[in-house]
Amino acid sequence: MSFMDRFVSGWRKHRQAATDDDFDYAWTMSIDLDRCTGCGACVTACQAENNIPLVGEKELAGGREMQWIRIERYWEGEYPNAKLSFIPMMCQHCDSAPCETVCPVSATYHNQDGLNTQIYNRCIGTRSCAVYCPYEVRFFNYYDHHWPAPLDQQLNPDVTVREKGVMEKCTFCIQRIRQAKDHAKDEGRRVADGEVQPACVQTCPSEALVFGDRKDPNSNVSKSINDPRAYHVLGELNTRPSVVYLKKVDADVV
Amino acid sequence: MVSHAIGLFHDPESALHAAGQLKSAGFAQPEIMSPVPIHGVEEVLGPKKSVIKRFTFFGGIFGALGGFALAAGTAVMYLHPTGGRPIITIPPFLIISYEMTILCGILATVLGFLISARLPVFRERIYVPETAVDKFGVTVPCDSDEQFSDAERILEQAGAEEVRRLGDPS
Amino acid sequence: MSSEQKPMQYSDVNDDIVRSLVVTGRKYYITLAIAVTVMVTCFYFPWFYQLYYGIGAAGMNNPTVWGTYLASFIFWIGLSHSGTLLSCVLHITNSEWRKAMYRSAEAMTLFSLLVAVTMVMVHLGRPWFIHWAAPYPNQMELWPNFRSPLLFDVIAITTYLTGSLIFIYMGSIPDFAAVRDRTSGWRYHLYVLLSLGWRGTDTEWHRLGWAYTFLAVLIIPLAVSVHSIVSWDFAMSIVPGLHQTIFAPYFVVGAIYSGTAGIVTVMFVLRKYMNFEHFITKIHFDNLGKLLLLLSLLWSYINILELFTAWYGGTSTEYEQLRYKLTGYYSPLYWEMILFCAVAPLLLISKKIRTSFVPMLILSIVINIGMYTERFLIIATTLSRQYLPESWRLYTPSMVEISILVGSLAMFITLFLLFVKIFPSVSIYEVKETMPKPQKKNGDRSW
Amino acid sequence: MNVSIVPTLRVLRPAATVALVGLIGIIAGFYANATLFTDTSPEQPIAFSHKIHAGDNEVPCLYCHVQARRSISAGVPSVNKCMGCHLEVATDRPQIRLLANYWDTKEPIPWIKVHDLPDFVHFTHKRHVQAGIECQTCHGPVETMAVVSREAPLKMGLCLNCHKDNAVENGTDCWTCHK
């Protein structure tokens, strides 16, 4: 009887698809393309915060770049009437992430913060997640990276240095989220809005990037994702990303 | 001491005929040893029932249930929500179940074959190497010399090229 | 079994096959030495280098994170497909012409599967942790992710490997017994163990017949599922060009296609160098040729379907993918594939070609080159052109990858060479079954 | 003629024995390597005895490992902390002279880490101390050890079992412990 009850209730519970409501937080980033100047400060900040190796010129040309966030640049027209548009692209932390289901060893999964996470030391390097990711934001360690002498002193102790053969990607600076949650737990409250900022958000000079919990209706990010300009990149794929872009208002069009 | 009479035949028909004769003469169940599977044994020596199909069937069912239980059970044991899907995601688990059905079915079939064909052979059994090349052998156990000469007579009448007496080692 | 000079006898079959196991010429040793050398230098050395250096030794880059290793994996899995599958289908349909060739076809399945598994090891970033993909209780209390198509692959290939091994072994038990009586020394002991004490009694034959048929029935759906699952590694993604419902049948047909071509190649080699002219005849090549023609037409049909739906659907990503496939950087390879796999096999319509050995050999090799290209293109063209144009990047295999490809071929040859000296490479009892039964000849003792 | 696989098995018995012994040897060697030859109690630069301090004199753990309750790392006490007592206590002992030597030359003591976790593990002492977990749960009865040795295996299973037993919030989430 009790076994059957437990079985039935467990079955019901685990047959439900995971939604935002099941998670403690729903960390979200909004990127206002109207404010973004494409300066690349976020790229550098991310590089420094997350122990991302500098692969060097040769490997970069060979396509083994390591950039958890990148500025995609698209040129339209010919010089001198060329027009440049750009968009910062990083892991979208999709709620229906294609990369998660494909990993044979569950090295990537959705955690209780609603983040799409990657456990480096569980990864066996099938690279299937990178194939399945439509945003091309997963990066593979093609070899062991080394930091030349002074640079090894600036490695972040809260972030692992990844081994060769391991996939990695943007974590929304989960080490900072963890720290903020730790403080909040000491004080017995939830993480307040603005208390945690990933390195890219912190460093963005034009404040184009806003980060916060979309479960909190009063947070800055909740307000900005309700903006009529808000959209998801490749939204038609129904990956339900946690990164929201605010469309650039084009002066020529308006 | 139990010994065996074995008659070697050139063709399967004579061997089958000899086996039928031996059986109707009241000998214990004769065995036919042949280089190729021969047809018509059941008409002569009585129907054969194989338990292998039951092994295959139950092995398959075990695999189907076990495969699903493996996938669903391990998913519940350590929760990893992936891709916005439920923890117990039925369609992919059915594929695991399908593959495990076949795997367990195959393994059970092998087990059934080994058990029902009484292989591998640990206690020595009589054997004539020619029957693996081009001879068809018919053997019966004989308790006594009289029985052996009876068997020898029947075998030779049926057209045996040669009749041997082999001691049962056990 | 037809033979021109004098009718074959049961004992001739045993003689021929025992000879093929026991008598080893210098040619064999030289070939084996070359194969082993190539395997070690072209496969293991580069692989160890890659293990030390990282996957960076291969030419893969960021959008194209899969490369020739995975193409080789599909290729070898595909090559494995017609052996056991074909053998099972022909066994169930009681085809006489299967009997002389099925053993080596099944061996092909087994060894190409082994090579495919090795290719997975080569492909992985951290192969030393591959055991994490297996479900076993561990202190981490972690299990593999059963929702992953790659894990379906692990389960399916394990099952297929087990099934093929058991199928080829079970069919060989009577032959091991026959060989056991004619050998001595270590071979004798090996065959005693392998034959399990088989005596060929009516009961044993009866049980073997049932078990063998059940295995065949189980393996047919298994083989179909294995390559469907391999295709799902791709088709379950949302990458344009990969996310296609047609992929499972496409891969299955392609697998049987390249596998059948592989059988033709192996048959040719066995016939030529193992002196099996009695057993492997024009009939086999004719039948295999017909099968190849049918499969090539099916394959072309599916290819046309794929192009047509992509063109008619006309979504931007699909259309771009189509355009890139037909006219882009990799298009010469595409047209080579069409030429090799769709056009050239049309020659098989002529019986003259089907029954002549050398053209069949050439065609079978050409088809397999084409099929390798197909697998390479599936990965290279789609991964280098995905949704975001900023990350479009071409992929060229590095020397390490090419060397490992050559080495894997040598590994297959090595395994096969070892096989022909251990397994009777033509089934003794099944060949005998195809021969006229000994008839009653009272009084005549000359046989 | 008779047939049986037993004679062959007899012939193969020496080979099988060798294989079996080899297999057992490999497995035993593996475990021996993991248990016997792993240095769980390395020799420290100063023969500091937890038995004397924490055991006999009942100095609380957190008196010296003062950061444990408010930071990730429990921390090794500074030489300053040691000298707080040992300027007065037992100054004539040879080991204390060694300590005083470090004090005089203003150098830290190069302690060797006994409980070392891999770099990809995030373990915070603060959470565990605040949750009221005894230090001994993971570190073993340190107060009885003259030389500290690692008692618990410090494998993932250890953490996980405890987290499951105590129903820790998000206790089995990978990112709770991995980084």
Side-chain angles (χ1 to χ4, degrees):
Chain A
M1 179 67 186
S2 76
F3 172 77
M4 273 316 286
D5 279 356
R6 264 190 311 167
F7 179 77
V8 170
S9 64
W11 177 266
R12 283 203 185 119
K13 186 172 133 221
H14 294 309
R15 278 292 299 140
Q16 310 266 317
T19 57
D20 291 359
D21 302 337
D22 301 334
F23 298 135
D24 302 344
Y25 294 90
W27 298 109
T28 305
M29 188 183 287
S30 81
I31 300 176
D32 191 341
L33 296 178
D34 231 354
R35 282 168 176 257
C36 177
T37 60
C39 65
C42 47
V43 180
T44 316
C46 179
Q47 203 98 18
E49 168 75 16
N50 289 304
N51 298 344
I52 299 173
L54 301 159
V55 291
E57 204 175 326
K58 184 169 148 271
E59 294 299 331
L60 189 70
R64 280 88 177 272
E65 80 276 10
M66 286 280 172
Q67 292 181 335
W68 287 2
I69 180 169
R70 63 168 183 265
I71 312 277
E72 294 204 340
R73 291 182 174 78
Y74 296 106
W75 292 91
E76 285 171 53
E78 291 293 319
Y79 181 82
N81 295 320
K83 197 181 131 197
L84 172 67
S85 47
F86 40 80
I87 180 169
M89 183 58 61
M90 79 285 259
C91 175
Q92 306 285 307
H93 292 272
C94 315
D95 283 349
S96 300
C99 59
E100 286 173 358
T101 38
V102 76
C103 179
V105 293
S106 289
T108 179
Y109 74 103
H110 230 65
N111 87 340
Q112 287 302 312
D113 289 352
L115 296 177
N116 174 310
T117 58
Q118 172 79 19
I119 305 299
Y120 310 118
N121 53 308
R122 177 71 174 172
C123 179
I124 59 173
T126 65
R127 313 194 278 293
S128 42
C129 49
V131 170
Y132 275 45
C133 176
Y135 303 96
E136 300 304 318
V137 286
R138 288 179 155 265
F139 298 94
F140 186 68
N141 284 276
Y142 286 95
Y143 34 76
D144 275 328
H145 295 283
H146 300 284
W147 279 260
L151 288 178
D152 57 353
Q153 298 295 317
Q154 62 93 45
L155 289 176
N156 187 346
D158 290 335
V159 180
T160 327
V161 172
R162 278 81 56 183
E163 195 196 8
K164 70 183 170 212
V166 166
M167 195 56 81
E168 62 182 62
K169 66 168 193 70
C170 161
T171 60
F172 271 175
C173 287
I174 195 166
Q175 65 278 11
R176 296 185 175 201
I177 295 175
R178 177 152 61 195
Q179 213 166 14
K181 280 172 79 179
D182 201 46
H183 283 305
K185 194 170 183 176
D186 285 344
E187 293 163 20
R189 57 174 174 86
R190 280 174 69 83
V191 177
D193 189 33
E195 194 176 345
V196 43
Q197 281 190 327
C200 52
V201 176
Q202 186 186 27
T203 203
C204 181
S206 57
E207 294 187 352
L209 278 61
V210 178
F211 184 78
D213 181 11
R214 82 172 166 264
K215 287 187 124 176
D216 174 4
N218 299 318
S219 65
N220 284 334
V221 77
S222 292
K223 285 171 195 154
S224 75
I225 61 177
N226 289 328
D227 192 292
R229 292 183 293 139
Y231 73 101
H232 292 309
V233 172
L234 299 178
E236 70 274 18
L237 298 176
N238 195 26
T239 52
R240 298 196 286 148
S242 293
V243 177
V244 178
Y245 291 84
L246 303 185
K247 194 180 178 330
K248 186 171 189 163
V249 180
D250 203 325
D252 307 345
V253 180
V254 174
Chain B
M1 184 195 128
V2 184
S3 62
H4 280 80
I6 178 157
L8 296 178
F9 294 84
H10 167 256
D11 57 303
E13 280 80 17
S14 316
L16 274 177
H17 177 68
Q21 292 289 313
L22 283 171
K23 192 176 156 79
S24 49
F27 279 91
Q29 184 79 354
E31 268 188 332
I32 301 174
M33 295 198 268
S34 55
V36 292
I38 52 179
H39 304 287
V41 178
E42 297 192 24
E43 283 84 346
V44 180
L45 296 181
K48 284 186 190 301
K49 281 180 86 175
S50 158
V51 292
I52 296 177
K53 56 188 168 223
R54 284 194 205 136
F55 275 88
T56 312
F57 180 71
F58 288 109
I61 289 191
F62 172 79
L65 298 178
F68 193 88
L70 176 73
T74 55
V76 171
M77 275 166 74
Y78 203 122
L79 300 183
H80 279 108
T82 57
R85 284 165 172 76
I87 296 298
I88 297 177
T89 324
I90 291 177
F93 291 179
L94 286 182
I95 293 168
I96 303 289
S97 178
Y98 176 83
E99 296 298 332
M100 292 300 280
T101 307
I102 293 174
L103 180 63
C104 294
I106 287 174
L107 293 176
T109 308
V110 173
L111 191 69
F113 165 70
L114 292 178
I115 290 173
S116 68
R118 297 195 300 140
L119 293 173
V121 179
F122 287 106
R123 295 182 60 189
E124 295 200 337
R125 293 182 198 154
I126 55 148
Y127 178 59
V128 181
E130 286 91 328
T131 57
V133 186
D134 54 359
K135 296 284 184 278
F136 295 80
V138 177
T139 81
V140 275
C142 308
D143 295 330
S144 59
D145 288 347
E146 297 85 66
Q147 253 196 331
F148 174 74
S149 46
D150 277 356
E152 189 176 25
R153 188 174 42 78
I154 293 172
L155 288 168
E156 277 181 346
Q157 271 174 5
E161 297 169 6
E162 191 186 344
V163 178
R164 288 186 208 164
R165 185 173 188 171
L166 294 175
D168 194 328
S170 60
Chain C
M1 193 59 41
S2 65
S3 176
E4 288 74 13
Q5 304 89 23
K6 69 180 175 70
M8 288 263 297
Q9 291 192 336
Y10 274 14
S11 52
D12 297 342
V13 183
N14 286 49
D15 291 345
D16 269 4
I17 288 169
V18 172
R19 177 180 48 75
S20 80
L21 291 172
V22 179
V23 181
T24 310
R26 183 186 287 169
K27 237 189 252 172
Y28 172 86
Y29 285 116
I30 293 174
T31 326
L32 185 64
I34 293 173
V36 171
T37 317
V38 173
M39 175 176 80
V40 171
T41 50
C42 291
F43 188 89
Y44 286 104
F45 284 163
W47 184 24
F48 291 151
Y49 169 69
Q50 182 186 288
L51 284 177
Y52 166 75
Y53 182 77
I55 294 291
M60 287 166 247
N61 55 31
N62 265 342
T64 326
V65 286
W66 284 350
T68 48
Y69 296 148
L70 216 64
S72 307
F73 164 73
I74 311 169
F75 175 77
W76 286 111
I77 291 273
L79 208 56
S80 80
H81 254 59
S82 49
T84 304
L85 179 62
L86 210 61
S87 168
C88 290
V89 173
L90 296 178
H91 173 73
I92 286 178
T93 54
N94 253 327
S95 299
E96 288 285 298
W97 63 278
R98 151 192 187 267
K99 294 186 171 173
M101 45 152 256
Y102 81 97
R103 180 71 48 74
S104 31
E106 283 167 18
M108 215 177 86
T109 295
L110 198 59
F111 298 136
S112 42
L113 270 178
L114 284 175
V115 176
V117 171
T118 329
M119 289 317 294
V120 172
M121 300 289 285
V122 176
H123 168 81
L124 284 187
R126 299 204 297 175
W128 47 93
F129 288 129
I130 185 144
H131 54 280
W132 284 345
Y136 65 99
N138 56 76
Q139 55 94 14
M140 300 183 288
E141 298 176 30
L142 278 174
W143 298 85
N145 177 11
F146 284 102
R147 269 156 262 159
S148 158
L150 274 84
L151 204 83
F152 306 164
D153 243 4
V154 173
I155 306 272
I157 289 171
T158 316
T159 308
Y160 194 38
L161 197 57
T162 317
S164 304
L165 184 66
I166 286 172
F167 194 65
I168 189 174
Y169 171 67
M170 202 171 255
S172 311
I173 292 177
D175 293 352
F176 287 137
V179 176
R180 164 192 67 192
D181 306 333
R182 303 278 294 269
T183 49
S184 57
W186 64 270
R187 277 204 181 86
Y188 170 74
H189 291 299
L190 176 71
Y191 292 123
V192 166
L193 279 190
L194 286 175
S195 67
L196 302 174
W198 174 270
R199 299 182 301 152
T201 63
D202 49 337
T203 314
E204 284 172 353
W205 281 118
H206 177 255
R207 305 291 190 259
L208 181 73
W210 274 110
Y212 201 62
T213 307
F214 282 137
L215 283 184
V217 170
L218 284 170
I219 285 174
I220 293 169
L222 170 65
V224 173
S225 79
V226 167
H227 221 75
S228 304
I229 286 173
V230 169
S231 84
W232 292 341
D233 287 354
F234 301 97
M236 294 292 176
S237 73
I238 50 174
V239 177
L242 291 185
H243 183 56
Q244 312 232 6
T245 43
I246 194 84
F247 254 39
Y250 180 33
F251 271 52
V252 173
V253 168
I256 301 172
Y257 186 29
S258 81
T260 311
I263 290 183
V264 173
T265 317
V266 169
M267 288 295 127
F268 181 88
V269 175
L270 277 184
R271 185 178 182 282
K272 180 105 182 159
Y273 295 102
M274 303 281 291
N275 305 321
F276 283 159
E277 285 92 347
H278 295 309
F279 309 119
I280 300 165
T281 57
K282 285 185 177 173
I283 301 168
H284 299 104
F285 279 75
D286 190 23
N287 283 330
L288 286 171
K290 283 179 198 157
L291 190 60
L292 272 182
L293 180 62
L294 173 74
L295 288 166
S296 90
L297 292 175
L298 260 177
W299 185 88
S300 315
Y301 166 66
I302 294 178
N303 257 293
I304 292 166
L305 273 189
E306 202 190 336
L307 297 181
F308 185 68
T309 43
W311 171 78
Y312 200 90
T315 57
S316 60
T317 46
E318 290 279 353
Y319 195 78
E320 166 61 27
Q321 182 61 43
L322 175 74
R323 201 190 57 73
Y324 183 61
K325 199 194 281 185
L326 298 184
T327 60
Y329 178 76
Y330 294 107
S331 60
L333 282 177
Y334 181 82
W335 295 111
E336 174 248 271
M337 170 187 93
I338 293 293
L339 180 69
F340 282 9
C341 289
V343 181
L346 294 178
L347 290 173
L348 288 167
I349 205 143
S350 125
K351 187 170 174 108
K352 204 170 170 194
I353 288 187
R354 288 202 306 268
T355 50
S356 38
F357 296 109
V358 175
M360 280 294 280
L361 174 73
I362 294 170
L363 257 181
S364 70
I365 291 174
V366 158
I367 288 172
N368 262 328
I369 293 173
M371 288 309 288
Y372 189 88
T373 321
E374 184 224 83
R375 275 65 181 257
F376 175 77
L377 286 178
I378 284 174
I379 292 169
T381 48
T382 47
L383 294 191
S384 59
R385 290 273 154 141
Q386 294 182 42
Y387 289 105
L388 301 178
E390 222 258 353
S391 53
W392 285 355
R393 199 176 274 125
L394 296 172
Y395 156 72
T396 350
S398 72
M399 278 316 286
V400 171
E401 282 173 281
I402 292 165
S403 159
I404 283 181
L405 174 61
V406 173
S408 68
L409 193 67
M411 193 194 314
F412 177 78
I413 293 171
T414 309
L415 288 169
F416 211 93
L417 284 172
L418 293 177
F419 158 81
V420 295
K421 288 293 154 191
I422 291 174
F423 274 64
S425 43
V426 168
S427 169
I428 298 176
Y429 81 93
E430 298 226 31
V431 165
K432 283 179 186 168
E433 276 192 296
T434 62
M435 292 161 56
K437 272 210 195 80
Q439 295 301 321
K440 254 186 194 168
K441 290 200 252 175
N442 279 334
D444 182 2
R445 301 249 161 165
S446 63
W447 23 259
Chain D
M1 186 177 166
N2 298 301
V3 80
S4 163
I5 64 165
V6 174
T8 293
L9 291 179
R10 281 209 191 97
V11 171
L12 290 180
R13 188 174 285 161
T17 317
V18 169
L20 193 68
V21 169
L23 191 69
I24 292 173
I26 288 170
I27 294 171
F30 182 78
Y31 278 103
N33 183 36
T35 53
L36 299 179
F37 301 112
T38 313
D39 196 4
T40 53
S41 53
E43 197 184 333
Q44 301 287 358
I46 294 175
F48 175 85
S49 166
H50 277 86
K51 186 171 181 297
I52 295 171
H53 292 80
D56 302 347
N57 295 318
E58 294 181 352
V59 181
C61 307
L62 293 178
Y63 180 79
C64 296
H65 300 286
V66 68
Q67 292 106 314
R69 81 190 108 188
R70 48 188 144 99
S71 106
I72 284 180
S73 121
V76 179
S78 59
V79 182
N80 188 7
K81 192 106 194 169
C82 305
M83 293 306 286
C85 296
H86 282 294
L87 277 175
E88 305 294 331
V89 181
T91 48
D92 54 337
R93 308 250 171 97
Q95 293 295 326
I96 306 302
R97 293 237 183 86
L98 269 178
L99 173 70
N101 201 23
Y102 283 109
W103 174 249
D104 293 338
T105 55
K106 297 201 187 307
E107 271 178 20
I109 308 167
W111 297 110
I112 295 160
K113 211 168 178 183
V114 178
H115 294 86
D116 196 5
L117 289 172
D119 286 347
F120 50 72
V121 176
H122 165 88
F123 176 84
T124 154
H125 276 89
K126 166 181 147 183
R127 266 297 138 241
H128 293 83
V129 173
Q130 287 189 359
I133 312 277
E134 294 285 324
C135 305
Q136 283 84 348
T137 313
C138 302
H139 291 282
V142 176
E143 72 277 5
T144 62
M145 294 177 191
V147 179
V148 174
S149 73
R150 195 176 70 228
E151 300 275 293
L154 298 186
K155 289 258 168 94
M156 184 170 156
L158 183 84
C159 308
L160 211 53
N161 282 336
C162 192
H163 278 194
K164 279 187 177 169
D165 292 346
N166 297 315
V168 178
E169 187 195 352
N170 295 344
T172 56
D173 188 67
C174 309
W175 271 93
T176 300
C177 305
H178 286 291
K179 61 181 184 182

